[in-house]
Amino acid sequence: MKKTALAYIGKITVFLILMFLLTGCKTKVSPEDIENLKQRIPDMVFLGDEINLPTRINKTQITFSVNKEGYFDETGKVIKAETHDVTLIITVFGNKTPLFEKKAILSQKIEVLFQEVEKYVRSFIRHRTGSDIYLVSEYYDYDDISIVYQSNRPDIIDHDGTHYAHDYDEPVTIEVTVNARGKTHRFSVEVEAVGLPDGEKLNRVSDWLDEYMETIEFTDDFELPKTHPDYGGTIKWVASDPFVVIGQNRFFFPREEERVVLMTQITFPGGDKQKEYIFDLPASSMDDFSRAKRFLEISFEEQMDDFFVLYDGSSPDITRFLLEGDAKNKLYGAKREELDLANLDKWFYPGYEKPNDDNPLFIVVHETGIRTPGINAKYYSEFQYNKAYVADEVDAWTSWHYTVDDHSIYQSYLDQSECWNAGDGDIYGIGIEMCINADGNYNASLINNARLIASLLIKHNLGMKSLKMHHDYSAKPCPETMLQNRLWFKFLKMIAYEYVSQALLSQFEITYTYDLIEGLSSWPIEQVIYNEGVTVDSVQNIKVEVDGSELNFQIRVSAK
């Protein structure tokens, strides 16, 4: 009986132990607990977020797994995001038994999203406008992104992009706030709100300039207006005598009493207008040495981008490959026509006197129009030779005096010859073709051409009124690049600089001393510095001695 009782007690003990073990291993997580766990897993997670779940509930161990590897570390922190959204399935376990699954969106990198939204917003906003601006309020089909705008000048451009009429061009800043997925990104867009149409502004600035020039009182080193105080725009100047305007807006009296034409160009983005003013000016009291030093000071006020010229009176380097005598195909006139002096007043200004005996009156500027690599000045010089002396047939009866590229100048005909390149401009013109070959440097070609043209003006006693474009005699848009980019007055300034250099500085002993900073080098045109690869905005120090008088300058060099 005693053994039976002990056996019964043993069975009861085993049963209780088993029941304890079984009930102890069961998850004790209520529906409310599961709902709370679900709430702790956001519908959307971002890079750097952390899923923070309790490790135990009622002695039940809580863990989770993700259906895609590499996005979370062992602590539950998001360590990786894509440039697109990723759908994740997060499974939560209690004592390794699945409790539930929840879908969560791993957001694309929020900074990338904001960059995309900013780029999208900016693409609709014109940086210069005279009409309403379209301000987008949505980003494609994203329903969790809002875009809000705030203008600092709602009287000109309102918060909704409405443009209100006003006279003057005004800067407006539009602050943009992007709210996306609980995050915020802010940036600003600068807009120039156009007042009157550019054509009307041109007319008003032109009228203002007429009134200004009627009351002007000149002095040496007088600054001519570069813009209108209200309407803006750009005003550039050049004078028939290159000594009178230096740097496109610095006025000086001429070296001798004379009649001078001040030529100006008023420019707005929508158009430009050229005007002329004639003055009888007295001689300056400034001596040549003082004028030379002031010229150098003004030239060093320029900021260097690709090139800088150290003016010292250098002349152009010309290779003469002259095509004269008995040619198989005669592509030029032997001698210019006699000049009707009555035309001088019409072409230049009343009282203009014949400048020379050989009758070259104009320098006619062309561009070759051919961008093919290797089609440079030497090529065209040989081309003219072959056309004149070798070819059995000539497809175009054209000729010109000089060809210029970014490092060389070739002369094919004497200045006195009448070449055929510009229609009515041929009779009294010297034709120059400037190469635009793709393996050349256009800006260096401008420098080389300016040096050549200045030397021809000095040689033939001509002034800046003698400079013409092929387009002045033809509907052909030539020189095309110069016309398209509105470079003509810039080119005239370069020619005026070279003129003063060759006519004035050449009489002095001028030496330059400098150590080129890293990235600058010498270009194969005398006294021309090239920005080959300056990596940060820098300053180049240069010492100049003019007949023993020392000047020190700094050139501001822009990074490439």
Side-chain angles (χ1 to χ4, degrees), residues 237-245 251 260-263 463-465 496:
W237 298 86
V238 69
S240 54
D241 178 352
F243 281 94
V244 172
V245 174
F251 172 90
V260 173
V261 181
L262 292 182
M263 298 169 279
M464 302 294 285
K465 280 281 289 178

Side-chain angles (χ1 to χ4, degrees), residues 63-76:
T63 57
F64 75 90
S65 67
V66 182
N67 66 324
K68 296 180 180 178
E69 294 182 355
Y71 292 104
F72 291 83
D73 65 12
E74 64 277 2
T75 68

